[in-house]
Amino acid sequence: MGLSTRHLLQLEGAPREDLNLILDTAESFREILDRPIKKVPPLRGKTVLNLFYEPSTRTRISFELAEKRLSADTISFSAATSSVKKGETLKDTVRNIEAMRIDMVVVRHSSAGVPYYLTQCLEANIVNAGDGAHEHPTQGLLDIFTIRRKYKKIDGLRVLLVGDIRHSRVARSNIWGLKTLGASVAVCGPTTLLPYEVERFGVDVYTNIDEAMEGVDVVNILRIQLERQQAGLFPSQREYTNLFGITAERLTRLNPNYTIMHPGPMNRGVEITNEVADGPASVILEQVTNGQAVRMAVLFLLSGADKRETDLTKTE
Amino acid sequence: MTKSDAIQFMDKQAIDRAITRIAHEILERNGGAESLVIVGILTRGANLAARLAQAIEGIEGIAVPVGLMDINLYRDDVNYNPDLPEVRQTEILFDIDGKNLILVDDVLYTGRTIRAALSQLIDFGRPKTIQLAVLVDRGHRQLPIRADYVGKNIPTGFDDDVQVRFVERDGVDEVVLSLAAAK
């Protein structure tokens, strides 16, 4: 039993068995979060470095809590207050830190491929916490976990991702993971915010939100980054809201028992109305809680991926 | 190892009688069932816990809360065992503070599982007492742990294999000893 990999870099190409093992293990860890003492010992003595080259609130806090709840020692590093400012390269920074005996590194970086690069220069297990527009695998997993908890399955569900698909690592991780587990995936957004050759992802592509919502079980609404408007990718916030904003009226086209998700941070009144964000079908805060359980499962399973071989202690 | 090398130590009747006796002992020692909660260790300790609760209800007419627990995250060999243990559900949906908690497992052997279970229980609260009930005590303790209620003591070699089978999981109620020499 165990993962087929010692790093979590992406969900693209991740075997179904690995995804299911992480989701099943997360189910067990989810219960720990409801205990009076939310701490278990399996990562005692391990040291985890959180290497954040990009700002983050929830992912970083979620990873830190997950690590602490598994009894790991944690150090958090943010590029803004470090020697990176003095011109130190990424490789030198991490190798110096690893010389302090780090077992696992959780990394977020604005460049795609940085987590992979770290696997080439470090011994530690690497967890991708978001790299450029490539992937954000733990967010994809926690979205899938949240869906699976509600519907008790992924296979056969219809999931729609709305918004800036092109720049979204969350969308990519969701697409790969969901498709591997048998969901049918659709994307919808302005043409300028869809990736080139988006069909290659094996998803249905819509530019009309009302058509896209037909027969959908789960709508995952991505944050519209307001700086994209300055780049000229959509004419105005108001137009985006009119054409793609998720309003209560639009929800009528969804399947009964539908679910509304958002990875955060939300622009209320832009991509999602207050009514939808706080409505009964919204699982947005559940996603955040579940994120901890999923990250605990990932860290726990990766820590077991390369145990030193020793005599088995016989237990009953 | 063939089937004929296995010795049956307890059959259904013997298991039922042991559970009934343990239920009486628990009630006697705790002066009734009001203060009791039962937690079984997965997998067969959980089956045994359910049966003990049933037996107690049959005697006292009180339904004792029953929880179940996976102790794998608290094992002391997590860093030594090349295979990561499968982490399963823990469900203790009641308050254990101030209770007389009956911890239940099928076989008591090295004591390491019980040590892990005790560590985990302390994270759920502070019971007044924790008492250990097992169906089989087979000896070979590696830690200072003993059972308060024992169904049967079975002398074994360290490498022998004791299997408790329950009808709800294995299709039959029995306790079987397979000798290591026969393997």
PDB file of all heavy atoms in Angstrom, chain A residues 1 27-29 31 35-37 39-42 300 304 307 310 312 316, chain B residues 73-74 78 80-81 84 86-90 109-111 113 120 123-124:
ATOM      1  N   MET A   1       0.827  -1.194   0.000  1.00  0.00           N
ATOM      2  CA  MET A   1       0.000   0.000   0.000  1.00  0.00           C
ATOM      3  C   MET A   1       0.866   1.252   0.000  1.00  0.00           C
ATOM      4  O   MET A   1       1.819   1.340   0.733  1.00  0.00           O
ATOM      5  CB  MET A   1      -0.864  -0.002   1.267  1.00  0.00           C
ATOM      6  CG  MET A   1      -2.125   0.767   1.086  1.00  0.00           C
ATOM      7  SD  MET A   1      -2.851   1.384   2.588  1.00  0.00           S
ATOM      8  CE  MET A   1      -1.959   2.902   2.785  1.00  0.00           C
ATOM      9  N   GLU A  27     -10.344  11.005   3.966  1.00  0.00           N
ATOM     10  CA  GLU A  27     -11.614  10.740   4.659  1.00  0.00           C
ATOM     11  C   GLU A  27     -11.335  10.391   6.129  1.00  0.00           C
ATOM     12  O   GLU A  27     -12.029  10.858   7.031  1.00  0.00           O
ATOM     13  CB  GLU A  27     -12.331   9.587   3.939  1.00  0.00           C
ATOM     14  CG  GLU A  27     -13.801   9.472   4.216  1.00  0.00           C
ATOM     15  CD  GLU A  27     -14.603  10.647   3.689  1.00  0.00           C
ATOM     16  OE1 GLU A  27     -14.549  10.952   2.475  1.00  0.00           O
ATOM     17  OE2 GLU A  27     -15.287  11.270   4.518  1.00  0.00           O
ATOM     18  N   SER A  28     -10.297   9.588   6.359  1.00  0.00           N
ATOM     19  CA  SER A  28      -9.940   9.243   7.742  1.00  0.00           C
ATOM     20  C   SER A  28      -9.405  10.460   8.486  1.00  0.00           C
ATOM     21  O   SER A  28      -9.700  10.661   9.662  1.00  0.00           O
ATOM     22  CB  SER A  28      -8.887   8.135   7.768  1.00  0.00           C
ATOM     23  OG  SER A  28      -9.363   6.992   7.117  1.00  0.00           O
ATOM     24  N   PHE A  29      -8.602  11.270   7.808  1.00  0.00           N
ATOM     25  CA  PHE A  29      -8.030  12.447   8.475  1.00  0.00           C
ATOM     26  C   PHE A  29      -9.091  13.506   8.746  1.00  0.00           C
ATOM     27  O   PHE A  29      -8.948  14.312   9.658  1.00  0.00           O
ATOM     28  CB  PHE A  29      -6.898  13.037   7.638  1.00  0.00           C
ATOM     29  CG  PHE A  29      -5.607  12.275   7.768  1.00  0.00           C
ATOM     30  CD1 PHE A  29      -4.984  11.699   6.683  1.00  0.00           C
ATOM     31  CD2 PHE A  29      -5.013  12.141   9.013  1.00  0.00           C
ATOM     32  CE1 PHE A  29      -3.800  11.002   6.807  1.00  0.00           C
ATOM     33  CE2 PHE A  29      -3.824  11.441   9.148  1.00  0.00           C
ATOM     34  CZ  PHE A  29      -3.222  10.867   8.049  1.00  0.00           C
ATOM     35  N   GLU A  31     -11.882  13.239  10.046  1.00  0.00           N
ATOM     36  CA  GLU A  31     -12.487  13.043  11.375  1.00  0.00           C
ATOM     37  C   GLU A  31     -11.616  13.670  12.475  1.00  0.00           C
ATOM     38  O   GLU A  31     -12.134  14.162  13.478  1.00  0.00           O
ATOM     39  CB  GLU A  31     -12.699  11.540  11.592  1.00  0.00           C
ATOM     40  CG  GLU A  31     -13.092  11.118  12.989  1.00  0.00           C
ATOM     41  CD  GLU A  31     -11.891  10.805  13.856  1.00  0.00           C
ATOM     42  OE1 GLU A  31     -10.872  10.291  13.341  1.00  0.00           O
ATOM     43  OE2 GLU A  31     -11.950  11.117  15.053  1.00  0.00           O
ATOM     44  N   ARG A  35     -12.038  16.359  16.335  1.00  0.00           N
ATOM     45  CA  ARG A  35     -11.685  15.910  17.686  1.00  0.00           C
ATOM     46  C   ARG A  35     -11.354  17.096  18.570  1.00  0.00           C
ATOM     47  O   ARG A  35     -10.975  18.152  18.086  1.00  0.00           O
ATOM     48  CB  ARG A  35     -10.432  15.019  17.628  1.00  0.00           C
ATOM     49  CG  ARG A  35     -10.659  13.698  16.952  1.00  0.00           C
ATOM     50  CD  ARG A  35      -9.392  12.863  17.069  1.00  0.00           C
ATOM     51  NE  ARG A  35      -9.466  11.715  16.183  1.00  0.00           N
ATOM     52  CZ  ARG A  35      -8.478  10.844  16.031  1.00  0.00           C
ATOM     53  NH1 ARG A  35      -7.349  10.996  16.687  1.00  0.00           N
ATOM     54  NH2 ARG A  35      -8.621   9.825  15.225  1.00  0.00           N
ATOM     55  N   PRO A  36     -11.452  16.894  19.905  1.00  0.00           N
ATOM     56  CA  PRO A  36     -11.047  17.977  20.802  1.00  0.00           C
ATOM     57  C   PRO A  36      -9.555  18.292  20.669  1.00  0.00           C
ATOM     58  O   PRO A  36      -9.166  19.449  20.695  1.00  0.00           O
ATOM     59  CB  PRO A  36     -11.380  17.447  22.200  1.00  0.00           C
ATOM     60  CG  PRO A  36     -11.704  16.003  22.046  1.00  0.00           C
ATOM     61  CD  PRO A  36     -12.046  15.748  20.612  1.00  0.00           C
ATOM     62  N   ILE A  37      -8.722  17.271  20.518  1.00  0.00           N
ATOM     63  CA  ILE A  37      -7.295  17.503  20.292  1.00  0.00           C
ATOM     64  C   ILE A  37      -7.012  17.107  18.848  1.00  0.00           C
ATOM     65  O   ILE A  37      -7.022  15.933  18.501  1.00  0.00           O
ATOM     66  CB  ILE A  37      -6.429  16.703  21.283  1.00  0.00           C
ATOM     67  CG1 ILE A  37      -6.691  17.231  22.693  1.00  0.00           C
ATOM     68  CG2 ILE A  37      -4.960  16.813  20.923  1.00  0.00           C
ATOM     69  CD1 ILE A  37      -5.910  16.549  23.786  1.00  0.00           C
ATOM     70  N   LYS A  39      -4.683  16.601  16.746  1.00  0.00           N
ATOM     71  CA  LYS A  39      -3.276  16.346  16.478  1.00  0.00           C
ATOM     72  C   LYS A  39      -3.008  14.859  16.584  1.00  0.00           C
ATOM     73  O   LYS A  39      -3.456  14.224  17.531  1.00  0.00           O
ATOM     74  CB  LYS A  39      -2.427  17.105  17.499  1.00  0.00           C
ATOM     75  CG  LYS A  39      -1.005  17.338  17.097  1.00  0.00           C
ATOM     76  CD  LYS A  39      -0.325  18.193  18.156  1.00  0.00           C
ATOM     77  CE  LYS A  39       1.113  18.486  17.834  1.00  0.00           C
ATOM     78  NZ  LYS A  39       1.287  19.665  17.003  1.00  0.00           N
ATOM     79  N   VAL A  40      -2.286  14.318  15.612  1.00  0.00           N
ATOM     80  CA  VAL A  40      -1.891  12.916  15.633  1.00  0.00           C
ATOM     81  C   VAL A  40      -0.389  12.837  15.361  1.00  0.00           C
ATOM     82  O   VAL A  40       0.179  13.768  14.798  1.00  0.00           O
ATOM     83  CB  VAL A  40      -2.687  12.096  14.584  1.00  0.00           C
ATOM     84  CG1 VAL A  40      -4.137  11.925  15.008  1.00  0.00           C
ATOM     85  CG2 VAL A  40      -2.593  12.721  13.220  1.00  0.00           C
ATOM     86  N   PRO A  41       0.257  11.749  15.772  1.00  0.00           N
ATOM     87  CA  PRO A  41       1.728  11.772  15.783  1.00  0.00           C
ATOM     88  C   PRO A  41       2.518  11.295  14.552  1.00  0.00           C
ATOM     89  O   PRO A  41       3.731  11.297  14.634  1.00  0.00           O
ATOM     90  CB  PRO A  41       2.065  10.858  16.974  1.00  0.00           C
ATOM     91  CG  PRO A  41       0.878  10.022  17.207  1.00  0.00           C
ATOM     92  CD  PRO A  41      -0.295  10.620  16.509  1.00  0.00           C
ATOM     93  N   PRO A  42       1.942  10.927  13.414  1.00  0.00           N
ATOM     94  CA  PRO A  42       2.759  10.192  12.442  1.00  0.00           C
ATOM     95  C   PRO A  42       3.938  10.940  11.822  1.00  0.00           C
ATOM     96  O   PRO A  42       4.854  10.295  11.340  1.00  0.00           O
ATOM     97  CB  PRO A  42       1.763   9.801  11.355  1.00  0.00           C
ATOM     98  CG  PRO A  42       0.654  10.746  11.481  1.00  0.00           C
ATOM     99  CD  PRO A  42       0.561  11.065  12.942  1.00  0.00           C
ATOM    100  N   PHE A 300       1.173  12.779   4.740  1.00  0.00           N
ATOM    101  CA  PHE A 300       1.338  11.481   5.400  1.00  0.00           C
ATOM    102  C   PHE A 300       1.759  10.413   4.396  1.00  0.00           C
ATOM    103  O   PHE A 300       2.707   9.659   4.629  1.00  0.00           O
ATOM    104  CB  PHE A 300       0.018  11.086   6.071  1.00  0.00           C
ATOM    105  CG  PHE A 300      -0.013   9.683   6.605  1.00  0.00           C
ATOM    106  CD1 PHE A 300       0.713   9.341   7.727  1.00  0.00           C
ATOM    107  CD2 PHE A 300      -0.766   8.709   5.972  1.00  0.00           C
ATOM    108  CE1 PHE A 300       0.694   8.042   8.229  1.00  0.00           C
ATOM    109  CE2 PHE A 300      -0.793   7.409   6.467  1.00  0.00           C
ATOM    110  CZ  PHE A 300      -0.058   7.078   7.591  1.00  0.00           C
ATOM    111  N   GLY A 304       5.554   8.393   3.802  1.00  0.00           N
ATOM    112  CA  GLY A 304       5.725   6.940   3.842  1.00  0.00           C
ATOM    113  C   GLY A 304       6.297   6.394   2.557  1.00  0.00           C
ATOM    114  O   GLY A 304       6.580   5.203   2.455  1.00  0.00           O
ATOM    115  N   LYS A 307      10.410   5.151   3.176  1.00  0.00           N
ATOM    116  CA  LYS A 307      10.843   4.763   4.520  1.00  0.00           C
ATOM    117  C   LYS A 307      12.115   3.948   4.420  1.00  0.00           C
ATOM    118  O   LYS A 307      12.282   3.156   3.523  1.00  0.00           O
ATOM    119  CB  LYS A 307       9.760   3.875   5.120  1.00  0.00           C
ATOM    120  CG  LYS A 307       8.515   4.631   5.395  1.00  0.00           C
ATOM    121  CD  LYS A 307       8.297   4.666   6.876  1.00  0.00           C
ATOM    122  CE  LYS A 307       6.943   5.210   7.155  1.00  0.00           C
ATOM    123  NZ  LYS A 307       5.972   4.264   6.649  1.00  0.00           N
ATOM    124  N   THR A 310      13.786  -1.400   7.613  1.00  0.00           N
ATOM    125  CA  THR A 310      14.288  -1.938   8.880  1.00  0.00           C
ATOM    126  C   THR A 310      13.508  -3.200   9.204  1.00  0.00           C
ATOM    127  O   THR A 310      12.530  -3.517   8.562  1.00  0.00           O
ATOM    128  CB  THR A 310      14.084  -0.954  10.054  1.00  0.00           C
ATOM    129  OG1 THR A 310      13.093  -0.020   9.680  1.00  0.00           O
ATOM    130  CG2 THR A 310      15.350  -0.261  10.426  1.00  0.00           C
ATOM    131  N   LEU A 312      10.925  -5.546  10.624  1.00  0.00           N
ATOM    132  CA  LEU A 312       9.536  -5.330  10.987  1.00  0.00           C
ATOM    133  C   LEU A 312       9.377  -5.592  12.478  1.00  0.00           C
ATOM    134  O   LEU A 312       9.783  -6.623  12.975  1.00  0.00           O
ATOM    135  CB  LEU A 312       8.662  -6.318  10.235  1.00  0.00           C
ATOM    136  CG  LEU A 312       8.202  -5.855   8.871  1.00  0.00           C
ATOM    137  CD1 LEU A 312       7.529  -6.987   8.159  1.00  0.00           C
ATOM    138  CD2 LEU A 312       7.223  -4.722   9.039  1.00  0.00           C
ATOM    139  N   GLU A 316       0.507  -7.114  17.032  1.00  0.00           N
ATOM    140  CA  GLU A 316      -0.669  -7.957  16.833  1.00  0.00           C
ATOM    141  C   GLU A 316      -1.626  -7.337  15.852  1.00  0.00           C
ATOM    142  O   GLU A 316      -1.606  -6.151  15.649  1.00  0.00           O
ATOM    143  CB  GLU A 316      -1.403  -8.257  18.150  1.00  0.00           C
ATOM    144  CG  GLU A 316      -1.977  -7.066  18.869  1.00  0.00           C
ATOM    145  CD  GLU A 316      -1.071  -6.569  19.969  1.00  0.00           C
ATOM    146  OE1 GLU A 316       0.084  -6.242  19.682  1.00  0.00           O
ATOM    147  OE2 GLU A 316      -1.500  -6.516  21.113  1.00  0.00           O
TER     148      GLU A 316
ATOM    149  N   LEU B  73      -2.258   5.590  13.174  1.00  0.00           N
ATOM    150  CA  LEU B  73      -1.467   6.828  13.218  1.00  0.00           C
ATOM    151  C   LEU B  73      -0.649   6.917  14.492  1.00  0.00           C
ATOM    152  O   LEU B  73       0.253   7.734  14.600  1.00  0.00           O
ATOM    153  CB  LEU B  73      -2.382   8.046  13.115  1.00  0.00           C
ATOM    154  CG  LEU B  73      -3.035   8.250  11.750  1.00  0.00           C
ATOM    155  CD1 LEU B  73      -4.022   9.390  11.824  1.00  0.00           C
ATOM    156  CD2 LEU B  73      -1.967   8.542  10.716  1.00  0.00           C
ATOM    157  N   TYR B  74      -0.982   6.106  15.493  1.00  0.00           N
ATOM    158  CA  TYR B  74      -0.299   6.168  16.779  1.00  0.00           C
ATOM    159  C   TYR B  74       0.688   5.015  16.965  1.00  0.00           C
ATOM    160  O   TYR B  74       1.243   4.847  18.035  1.00  0.00           O
ATOM    161  CB  TYR B  74      -1.328   6.176  17.922  1.00  0.00           C
ATOM    162  CG  TYR B  74      -2.040   7.492  18.066  1.00  0.00           C
ATOM    163  CD1 TYR B  74      -3.049   7.854  17.197  1.00  0.00           C
ATOM    164  CD2 TYR B  74      -1.676   8.380  19.072  1.00  0.00           C
ATOM    165  CE1 TYR B  74      -3.703   9.071  17.326  1.00  0.00           C
ATOM    166  CE2 TYR B  74      -2.323   9.600  19.213  1.00  0.00           C
ATOM    167  CZ  TYR B  74      -3.338   9.943  18.341  1.00  0.00           C
ATOM    168  OH  TYR B  74      -3.970  11.140  18.470  1.00  0.00           O
ATOM    169  N   VAL B  78       5.685   3.239  12.814  1.00  0.00           N
ATOM    170  CA  VAL B  78       5.398   3.928  11.553  1.00  0.00           C
ATOM    171  C   VAL B  78       6.684   4.240  10.795  1.00  0.00           C
ATOM    172  O   VAL B  78       6.764   4.116   9.582  1.00  0.00           O
ATOM    173  CB  VAL B  78       4.580   5.217  11.811  1.00  0.00           C
ATOM    174  CG1 VAL B  78       4.557   6.115  10.594  1.00  0.00           C
ATOM    175  CG2 VAL B  78       3.146   4.853  12.187  1.00  0.00           C
ATOM    176  N   TYR B  80       9.485   2.595  11.050  1.00  0.00           N
ATOM    177  CA  TYR B  80      10.344   1.425  10.908  1.00  0.00           C
ATOM    178  C   TYR B  80       9.776   0.419   9.923  1.00  0.00           C
ATOM    179  O   TYR B  80      10.473  -0.432   9.422  1.00  0.00           O
ATOM    180  CB  TYR B  80      10.533   0.750  12.275  1.00  0.00           C
ATOM    181  CG  TYR B  80      11.176   1.675  13.258  1.00  0.00           C
ATOM    182  CD1 TYR B  80      10.424   2.525  14.047  1.00  0.00           C
ATOM    183  CD2 TYR B  80      12.574   1.743  13.360  1.00  0.00           C
ATOM    184  CE1 TYR B  80      11.018   3.411  14.928  1.00  0.00           C
ATOM    185  CE2 TYR B  80      13.179   2.622  14.241  1.00  0.00           C
ATOM    186  CZ  TYR B  80      12.400   3.446  15.019  1.00  0.00           C
ATOM    187  OH  TYR B  80      12.986   4.326  15.882  1.00  0.00           O
ATOM    188  N   ASN B  81       8.484   0.527   9.686  1.00  0.00           N
ATOM    189  CA  ASN B  81       7.809  -0.435   8.841  1.00  0.00           C
ATOM    190  C   ASN B  81       7.805   0.093   7.409  1.00  0.00           C
ATOM    191  O   ASN B  81       7.342   1.196   7.161  1.00  0.00           O
ATOM    192  CB  ASN B  81       6.365  -0.588   9.357  1.00  0.00           C
ATOM    193  CG  ASN B  81       5.656  -1.732   8.702  1.00  0.00           C
ATOM    194  OD1 ASN B  81       5.962  -2.090   7.572  1.00  0.00           O
ATOM    195  ND2 ASN B  81       4.707  -2.297   9.400  1.00  0.00           N
ATOM    196  N   LEU B  84       3.447   1.621   4.646  1.00  0.00           N
ATOM    197  CA  LEU B  84       2.629   2.580   5.371  1.00  0.00           C
ATOM    198  C   LEU B  84       1.327   1.891   5.757  1.00  0.00           C
ATOM    199  O   LEU B  84       0.708   1.228   4.934  1.00  0.00           O
ATOM    200  CB  LEU B  84       2.344   3.751   4.435  1.00  0.00           C
ATOM    201  CG  LEU B  84       2.034   5.085   5.032  1.00  0.00           C
ATOM    202  CD1 LEU B  84       3.208   5.565   5.878  1.00  0.00           C
ATOM    203  CD2 LEU B  84       1.786   6.071   3.912  1.00  0.00           C
ATOM    204  N   GLU B  86      -2.581   1.366   6.388  1.00  0.00           N
ATOM    205  CA  GLU B  86      -3.806   1.973   5.870  1.00  0.00           C
ATOM    206  C   GLU B  86      -4.505   2.672   7.033  1.00  0.00           C
ATOM    207  O   GLU B  86      -4.711   2.076   8.080  1.00  0.00           O
ATOM    208  CB  GLU B  86      -4.707   0.880   5.292  1.00  0.00           C
ATOM    209  CG  GLU B  86      -5.962   1.428   4.686  1.00  0.00           C
ATOM    210  CD  GLU B  86      -6.936   0.317   4.311  1.00  0.00           C
ATOM    211  OE1 GLU B  86      -6.536  -0.868   4.354  1.00  0.00           O
ATOM    212  OE2 GLU B  86      -8.082   0.630   3.988  1.00  0.00           O
ATOM    213  N   VAL B  87      -4.844   3.920   6.859  1.00  0.00           N
ATOM    214  CA  VAL B  87      -5.500   4.662   7.930  1.00  0.00           C
ATOM    215  C   VAL B  87      -7.002   4.575   7.734  1.00  0.00           C
ATOM    216  O   VAL B  87      -7.522   4.984   6.710  1.00  0.00           O
ATOM    217  CB  VAL B  87      -5.053   6.134   7.932  1.00  0.00           C
ATOM    218  CG1 VAL B  87      -5.709   6.873   9.083  1.00  0.00           C
ATOM    219  CG2 VAL B  87      -3.548   6.215   8.038  1.00  0.00           C
ATOM    220  N   ARG B  88      -7.687   4.011   8.721  1.00  0.00           N
ATOM    221  CA  ARG B  88      -9.142   3.827   8.587  1.00  0.00           C
ATOM    222  C   ARG B  88      -9.891   4.757   9.533  1.00  0.00           C
ATOM    223  O   ARG B  88      -9.287   5.532  10.246  1.00  0.00           O
ATOM    224  CB  ARG B  88      -9.481   2.364   8.861  1.00  0.00           C
ATOM    225  CG  ARG B  88      -8.860   1.430   7.815  1.00  0.00           C
ATOM    226  CD  ARG B  88      -8.788   0.018   8.311  1.00  0.00           C
ATOM    227  NE  ARG B  88      -7.954  -0.080   9.517  1.00  0.00           N
ATOM    228  CZ  ARG B  88      -7.704  -1.206  10.155  1.00  0.00           C
ATOM    229  NH1 ARG B  88      -8.222  -2.338   9.740  1.00  0.00           N
ATOM    230  NH2 ARG B  88      -6.941  -1.223  11.225  1.00  0.00           N
ATOM    231  N   GLN B  89     -11.192   4.616   9.549  1.00  0.00           N
ATOM    232  CA  GLN B  89     -12.021   5.549  10.315  1.00  0.00           C
ATOM    233  C   GLN B  89     -11.891   5.356  11.814  1.00  0.00           C
ATOM    234  O   GLN B  89     -11.768   4.231  12.301  1.00  0.00           O
ATOM    235  CB  GLN B  89     -13.495   5.340   9.959  1.00  0.00           C
ATOM    236  CG  GLN B  89     -13.879   5.804   8.585  1.00  0.00           C
ATOM    237  CD  GLN B  89     -13.522   7.244   8.302  1.00  0.00           C
ATOM    238  OE1 GLN B  89     -12.585   7.513   7.582  1.00  0.00           O
ATOM    239  NE2 GLN B  89     -14.250   8.179   8.868  1.00  0.00           N
ATOM    240  N   THR B  90     -11.945   6.450  12.526  1.00  0.00           N
ATOM    241  CA  THR B  90     -12.133   6.424  13.964  1.00  0.00           C
ATOM    242  C   THR B  90     -13.464   7.102  14.235  1.00  0.00           C
ATOM    243  O   THR B  90     -13.730   8.153  13.677  1.00  0.00           O
ATOM    244  CB  THR B  90     -10.990   7.172  14.661  1.00  0.00           C
ATOM    245  OG1 THR B  90      -9.785   6.436  14.472  1.00  0.00           O
ATOM    246  CG2 THR B  90     -11.255   7.324  16.150  1.00  0.00           C
ATOM    247  N   TYR B 109      -1.276  -9.212  22.741  1.00  0.00           N
ATOM    248  CA  TYR B 109      -0.024  -9.887  22.387  1.00  0.00           C
ATOM    249  C   TYR B 109       1.136  -9.055  22.930  1.00  0.00           C
ATOM    250  O   TYR B 109       1.386  -9.061  24.133  1.00  0.00           O
ATOM    251  CB  TYR B 109      -0.009 -10.052  20.866  1.00  0.00           C
ATOM    252  CG  TYR B 109       1.182 -10.727  20.226  1.00  0.00           C
ATOM    253  CD1 TYR B 109       1.928 -11.701  20.877  1.00  0.00           C
ATOM    254  CD2 TYR B 109       1.553 -10.402  18.922  1.00  0.00           C
ATOM    255  CE1 TYR B 109       3.004 -12.312  20.253  1.00  0.00           C
ATOM    256  CE2 TYR B 109       2.621 -11.011  18.287  1.00  0.00           C
ATOM    257  CZ  TYR B 109       3.354 -11.961  18.964  1.00  0.00           C
ATOM    258  OH  TYR B 109       4.406 -12.558  18.326  1.00  0.00           O
ATOM    259  N   THR B 110       1.803  -8.265  22.084  1.00  0.00           N
ATOM    260  CA  THR B 110       2.958  -7.504  22.574  1.00  0.00           C
ATOM    261  C   THR B 110       2.543  -6.345  23.470  1.00  0.00           C
ATOM    262  O   THR B 110       3.336  -5.844  24.260  1.00  0.00           O
ATOM    263  CB  THR B 110       3.766  -6.926  21.401  1.00  0.00           C
ATOM    264  OG1 THR B 110       2.910  -6.048  20.660  1.00  0.00           O
ATOM    265  CG2 THR B 110       4.267  -8.031  20.488  1.00  0.00           C
ATOM    266  N   GLY B 111       1.307  -5.866  23.308  1.00  0.00           N
ATOM    267  CA  GLY B 111       0.846  -4.714  24.072  1.00  0.00           C
ATOM    268  C   GLY B 111       1.040  -3.404  23.317  1.00  0.00           C
ATOM    269  O   GLY B 111       0.600  -2.346  23.762  1.00  0.00           O
ATOM    270  N   THR B 113      -0.213  -2.387  20.392  1.00  0.00           N
ATOM    271  CA  THR B 113      -1.468  -1.829  19.891  1.00  0.00           C
ATOM    272  C   THR B 113      -2.216  -1.105  21.004  1.00  0.00           C
ATOM    273  O   THR B 113      -2.757  -0.009  20.802  1.00  0.00           O
ATOM    274  CB  THR B 113      -2.358  -2.962  19.338  1.00  0.00           C
ATOM    275  OG1 THR B 113      -1.679  -3.583  18.259  1.00  0.00           O
ATOM    276  CG2 THR B 113      -3.688  -2.419  18.845  1.00  0.00           C
ATOM    277  N   GLN B 120      -3.998   7.449  21.905  1.00  0.00           N
ATOM    278  CA  GLN B 120      -5.043   8.080  21.103  1.00  0.00           C
ATOM    279  C   GLN B 120      -6.252   8.463  21.968  1.00  0.00           C
ATOM    280  O   GLN B 120      -6.799   9.553  21.815  1.00  0.00           O
ATOM    281  CB  GLN B 120      -5.473   7.138  19.978  1.00  0.00           C
ATOM    282  CG  GLN B 120      -6.696   7.611  19.228  1.00  0.00           C
ATOM    283  CD  GLN B 120      -6.668   7.224  17.762  1.00  0.00           C
ATOM    284  OE1 GLN B 120      -6.236   7.974  16.922  1.00  0.00           O
ATOM    285  NE2 GLN B 120      -7.138   6.039  17.460  1.00  0.00           N
ATOM    286  N   ASP B 123      -6.113  11.676  23.734  1.00  0.00           N
ATOM    287  CA  ASP B 123      -6.368  12.845  22.887  1.00  0.00           C
ATOM    288  C   ASP B 123      -7.859  13.112  22.704  1.00  0.00           C
ATOM    289  O   ASP B 123      -8.244  14.147  22.174  1.00  0.00           O
ATOM    290  CB  ASP B 123      -5.703  12.660  21.513  1.00  0.00           C
ATOM    291  CG  ASP B 123      -4.200  12.893  21.588  1.00  0.00           C
ATOM    292  OD1 ASP B 123      -3.731  13.313  22.649  1.00  0.00           O
ATOM    293  OD2 ASP B 123      -3.510  12.658  20.582  1.00  0.00           O
ATOM    294  N   PHE B 124      -8.691  12.178  23.091  1.00  0.00           N
ATOM    295  CA  PHE B 124     -10.137  12.382  22.974  1.00  0.00           C
ATOM    296  C   PHE B 124     -10.754  12.903  24.268  1.00  0.00           C
ATOM    297  O   PHE B 124     -11.907  13.309  24.295  1.00  0.00           O
ATOM    298  CB  PHE B 124     -10.835  11.072  22.595  1.00  0.00           C
ATOM    299  CG  PHE B 124     -10.830  10.809  21.118  1.00  0.00           C
ATOM    300  CD1 PHE B 124      -9.797  10.143  20.514  1.00  0.00           C
ATOM    301  CD2 PHE B 124     -11.883  11.265  20.334  1.00  0.00           C
ATOM    302  CE1 PHE B 124      -9.793   9.912  19.151  1.00  0.00           C
ATOM    303  CE2 PHE B 124     -11.894  11.050  18.972  1.00  0.00           C
ATOM    304  CZ  PHE B 124     -10.846  10.371  18.372  1.00  0.00           C
TER     305      PHE B 124
END
